Amino acid sequence: GKAEQQVPAAIHKLMADHQKEYGGLIAATLATIADRDQEFHRCAATRAQFAISTIDTNQLRVPHAPNAGRRPSPVKGINEQVPPLHPIDRDPFAPPITVGASPDQLLQRIDHFVFVMMENRSFDHMLGHLSHPDHGRRTDVDGLNGSEQLLGGDLTGTHALPRGGPNPAFWPNLPHTHESIVRQINDGKMNGFASEYGRKLARTPGVIPKGILNDPERVLRFQTPDVADTYARLAREYTICDRWFASVPAGTYPNRACYYSGVTPSLSNEGITDEFGYLKELTLFDVLTHVGVDWKVFESDISFLRVFDRFRIEQDRIRPLSELTDPLPSVTFIDPNFTGFPSPQPNNDDQPPTDVRKGQAFIADIVKRIEQSANWESTMLVIIYDEHGGFADHVPPPGAPHSSHPPGGTTSISLSHPDASTYGIRVPAFIVSPLAQRGGVSHQIFDHSTVFRTLLQRFAPEHVNSKIIPERVRRSRHLGEVLVDQPPRAAQLSGTTSPVLAAAAPRGRARFAFDEDIDQEDAVWALNQIGVPTRR
């Protein structure tokens, strides 16, 4: 009995202690095999396939075209202008509001932007408590009201009551492929979440049919303010957006692509090929570089920006999070520690099954750093989520039946992908800034393209209507509309501590050890195709 326990533990320890040596040996072996006839290039793997790419050295001696190997400028044609577009929730005939500074003028007061994108939680799941009668009772937030919901799909006719936690850790993971999300939206009825999860539970090994985990209504459960403690305080002291939607009804990879570029080449991670990591789409970073704006991306393990060819092995602009210090660059992007990557730090991205209290500690630390920055009075920190991750939300996304926009369903919503007829599902969003209203709520429609539009409006307004800027970006609102004309407020949270944060898991190598298949809609599956950079 002891041997059965001790031998596997010893093997695991041996592998962990010498993982670099073993990895180097395997890599050298593969290179030796590949180099027999050709030159080793790279290798990639999925759960079902392993591929080695090689280069035929004879081809390298063939004369090339004069421009071979020269990359075209990513901003070619940026000076060609097209007519301006209006957001889908703005009346182009309405008279402008002229009281106080305009949104464009307010945005000019921000010199430093910081963006943090977390993983896979819906607005109702993380912030629905704000309006719930047992918790926040706020009437200005479109969250949960404590009433029953009619379930659809396989549970048609069933009524369920959204209930509070505690549910900081969540397993098994929820379905959030494009096909599942379409069924969850269910023609705008927003009642297909539980039935989709029920099907996932039925095919997940380890879920006991009569056990506590086999409950599809768990997708309706929401985080209470004692668990989502940092968010509860941010909602009191700064501004939230209760109409920020994911860009597309799809998973992590498509939405993070929209976060950087305003478009996505795919609605699924499953079609990722050996070319993953070589995306050619124009990004907001290309435009920032073109106009001379200083920017950096700080990665906890590996940034999703590396899926784009121009930044795949970027070392100067993409740096470890440990290097985030004052003074801040003009534009800063921060990636959390993605669930599934081996790391000495705890996963803190909120991707199930990771405990959300780790995410709360991570966000609290980022807020503290930004509030204590010497540039605080001219800074905006934006905290959003890539997509809802399968958790329930009651607001139909733009483009779906029963949505308020586009009015009458007759106006285009500017697709980020030709096969996506709606936005994605609503996600939490915070605006942390000395110019953000205390306890404020923005009801304007935003999506991840708002990030691109905001930075264009602030640093390159002459390119807002450029022909090469995606239509979704040109039709997006910018975040100057969320700011208020007031003297900059002092930092609100940096001097406070939280019992929940103190109770968060300590740093270390502990990991969830659930026997669940790799989720091909999660960032870790996709990013593993690239490989972690070898030089920090």
Side-chain angles (χ1 to χ4, degrees):
K2 286 187 176 181
E4 291 179 355
Q5 298 176 0
Q6 293 174 350
V7 171
I11 293 175
H12 282 295
K13 185 178 186 304
L14 182 66
M15 295 294 290
D17 291 342
H18 300 280
Q19 54 183 316
K20 289 187 178 179
E21 292 91 334
Y22 293 147
L25 178 62
I26 293 171
T29 302
L30 293 175
T32 300
I33 295 172
D35 281 342
R36 287 179 177 175
D37 301 311
Q38 299 187 16
E39 181 178 334
F40 176 73
H41 175 49
R42 63 188 292 239
C43 60
T46 68
R47 290 180 65 85
Q49 295 179 327
F50 184 86
I52 299 176
S53 300
T54 61
I55 298 172
D56 185 346
T57 53
N58 292 322
Q59 290 182 341
L60 299 180
R61 290 191 287 270
V62 176
H64 283 75
N67 292 322
R70 296 182 182 179
R71 296 179 178 179
S73 169
V75 295
K76 182 180 180 180
I78 196 170
N79 293 321
E80 186 175 348
Q81 299 289 299
V82 292
L85 296 171
H86 295 285
I88 61 174
D89 59 338
R90 174 183 289 170
D91 182 357
F93 303 105
I97 300 175
T98 57
V99 178
S102 69
D104 290 0
Q105 291 170 330
L106 290 172
L107 192 66
Q108 291 301 311
R109 299 182 188 177
I110 302 297
D111 297 324
H112 303 273
F113 294 82
V114 183
F115 298 95
V116 181
M117 178 175 274
M118 302 290 280
E119 284 279 311
N120 294 31
R121 302 282 170 161
S122 71
F123 183 93
D124 278 351
H125 179 73
M126 297 300 291
L127 295 177
H129 67 83
L130 293 173
S131 59
H132 196 279
D134 293 339
H135 299 283
R137 294 181 174 273
R138 288 181 59 168
T139 59
D140 58 339
V141 178
D142 189 359
L144 297 170
N145 60 16
S147 61
E148 289 185 338
Q149 297 182 7
L150 178 65
L151 304 183
D154 299 338
L155 303 173
T156 298
T158 301
H159 286 77
L161 186 68
R163 293 180 296 165
N167 56 340
F170 204 99
W171 183 85
N173 199 359
L174 295 81
H176 47 279
T177 64
H178 171 63
E179 295 77 13
S180 287
I181 296 171
V182 170
R183 290 190 289 266
Q184 290 165 357
I185 294 173
N186 194 19
D187 290 331
K189 301 182 184 70
M190 308 305 290
N191 63 358
F193 300 93
S195 60
E196 277 300 290
Y197 192 45
R199 282 193 283 275
K200 171 69 178 286
L201 293 173
R203 64 176 184 267
T204 301
V207 175
I208 302 173
K210 294 185 178 180
I212 60 173
L213 294 180
N214 194 28
D215 178 10
E217 294 181 16
R218 283 196 300 138
V219 298
L220 304 178
R221 296 181 74 87
F222 59 91
Q223 301 295 349
T224 49
D226 59 321
V227 174
D229 177 81
T230 297
Y231 286 175
R233 289 182 292 136
L234 287 176
R236 288 195 302 268
E237 301 300 335
Y238 293 107
T239 295
I240 64 171
C241 305
D242 69 358
R243 284 295 185 277
W244 193 301
F245 296 88
S247 292
V248 284
T252 290
Y253 165 59
N255 277 291
R256 284 189 177 266
C258 290
Y259 179 41
Y260 298 135
S261 70
V263 295
T264 181
S266 172
L267 291 180
S268 171
N269 287 355
E270 295 177 0
I272 296 172
T273 67
D274 191 52
E275 292 304 308
F276 190 86
Y278 297 88
L279 300 184
K280 301 296 192 294
E281 282 74 13
L282 174 80
T283 71
L284 60 90
F285 302 102
D286 296 311
V287 179
L288 291 176
T289 300
H290 176 70
V291 297
V293 173
D294 184 27
W295 62 268
K296 274 192 170 61
V297 175
F298 293 96
E299 55 186 6
S300 294
D301 36 37
I302 181 170
S303 171
F304 199 82
L305 181 58
R306 295 190 184 277
V307 307
F308 291 88
D309 183 38
R310 291 180 294 280
F311 308 105
R312 184 170 57 92
I313 54 175
E314 172 66 41
Q315 296 293 334
D316 296 327
R317 304 269 196 165
I318 305 179
R319 303 300 303 163
L321 181 58
S322 59
E323 296 183 10
L324 175 64
T325 56
D326 253 357
L328 295 171
S330 298
V331 176
T332 300
F333 280 68
I334 298 173
D335 284 321
N337 195 329
F338 292 114
T339 296
F341 276 107
S343 171
Q345 308 301 326
N347 300 135
N348 53 24
D349 61 346
D350 281 353
Q351 162 71 48
T354 293
D355 192 322
V356 297
R357 289 174 294 187
K358 297 178 182 178
Q360 294 295 285
F362 169 72
I363 293 296
D365 178 62
I366 296 299
V367 171
K368 181 177 180 179
R369 294 195 199 190
I370 301 306
E371 285 188 329
Q372 293 180 348
S373 166
N375 307 123
W376 165 247
E377 289 193 353
S378 61
T379 296
M380 173 191 288
L381 166 63
V382 181
I383 303 163
I384 52 178
Y385 281 69
D386 62 338
E387 42 108 355
H388 76 300
F391 290 98
D393 193 83
H394 75 278
V395 176
H402 309 294
S403 173
S404 59
H405 291 86
T410 59
T411 305
S412 168
I413 64 168
S414 301
L415 300 179
S416 297
H417 188 280
D419 296 329
S421 59
T422 72
Y423 283 39
I425 291 172
R426 197 172 58 144
V427 295
F430 301 86
I431 309 299
V432 178
S433 172
L435 297 182
Q437 181 179 356
R438 187 177 189 274
V441 183
S442 164
H443 304 297
Q444 296 100 321
I445 290 179
F446 296 118
D447 81 295
H448 304 334
S449 300
T450 296
V451 174
F452 200 159
R453 174 57 189 267
T454 298
L455 295 176
L456 278 176
Q457 192 72 40
R458 174 59 182 87
F459 296 112
E462 69 276 16
H463 298 316
V464 166
N465 296 309
S466 168
K467 183 179 180 179
I468 70 171
I469 300 299
E471 183 179 328
R472 173 68 73 83
V473 176
R474 290 188 286 117
R475 292 200 66 176
S476 293
R477 292 178 176 272
H478 67 74
L479 293 175
E481 300 185 38
V482 179
L483 303 178
V484 292
D485 191 1
Q486 64 183 17
R489 296 191 298 138
Q492 303 298 305
L493 302 183
S494 60
T496 63
T497 58
S498 162
V500 172
L501 299 183
R507 295 179 182 270
R509 290 186 174 273
R511 284 290 179 272
F512 287 91
F514 295 120
D515 294 326
E516 183 176 10
D517 287 342
I518 291 177
D519 189 338
Q520 293 191 348
E521 281 295 329
D522 294 335
V524 61
W525 185 89
L527 293 180
N528 272 327
Q529 310 305 304
I530 303 173
V532 179
T534 57
R535 181 172 69 86
R536 285 296 192 180

